[in-house]
Amino acid sequence: MVQRTLSIIKPDATCRNVTGEINHMIEAAGFRIIAQKRILITLEQAKKFYEVHQEKPFYNDLCEFLSSAPAIVQVLEKENAVLDYRTLMGSTNPASADEGTIRKKFAISIDKNSVHGSDSPENATIEIKFFFSETEIVG
Ligand code: CMP
């Protein structure tokens, strides 16, 4: 089934000027980037976006990091996009990410791990709506 997922290219990657290389990996893996914008996520937006993690010890640092510099938010479309993008990203902690994954190649640490992807189709719908209106998505 063709699915959509939300991807964020995080501030550590925009700061190192590797967004094109990451997009190349995304497209080479068969995803279509059907919406994309470079934005400065506010601290308030970051807190709302990551609210499922609000009890975690890393929550404040995570939100501050996401709002610290520009991010690229994008909608990716492909068969099985949610799971396949998580596979392409690699594990959250780059120290255990597989060869050939985005995080293996670009992530610096578990915090500065270069990309985010939705973890379920339900959350993909919620996360896409968080950043995009219907008219901004051109499939
Ligand atoms: P992401 O996929 O964007 O979802 C939540 C983020 O929290 C995760 O990537 C990591 O960058 C960050 N994070 C920081 N510390 C941890 C941790 N101990 N476990 C999981 N995620 C963490």
Side-chain angles (χ1 to χ4, degrees), residues 8 10 49-50 53 56-58 62 65-66 86 89 92 103 109-113 115-117:
I8 303 178
K10 296 186 183 183
F49 183 78
Y50 277 134
H53 296 300
K56 308 264 175 60
F58 55 83
L62 174 64
F65 167 63
L66 192 68
R86 291 185 72 81
M89 288 193 300
T92 308
R103 284 169 172 159
S109 64
I110 195 165
D111 305 293
K112 296 180 175 167
N113 65 354
V115 279
H116 166 86

Side-chain angles (χ1 to χ4, degrees), residues 10 41 47 59 61 74 99 109 131 134 138:
K10 296 186 183 183
I41 297 172
K47 285 184 167 169
Y59 176 67
D61 287 347
Q74 47 192 192
E99 279 305 328
S109 64
F131 287 112
E134 268 308 316
V138 185

Side-chain angles (χ1 to χ4, degrees), residues 10 21 38 42 47 126-127:
K10 296 186 183 183
E21 285 182 77
R38 178 180 170 99
T42 66
K47 285 184 167 169
I126 294 166
E127 292 183 355

Side-chain angles (χ1 to χ4, degrees), residues 1-4 31 78-86:
M1 191 189 40
V2 174
Q3 275 181 340
R4 293 176 176 183
F31 295 86
K78 183 186 174 296
E79 288 275 324
N80 209 26
V82 171
L83 259 178
D84 284 0
Y85 190 50
R86 291 185 72 81

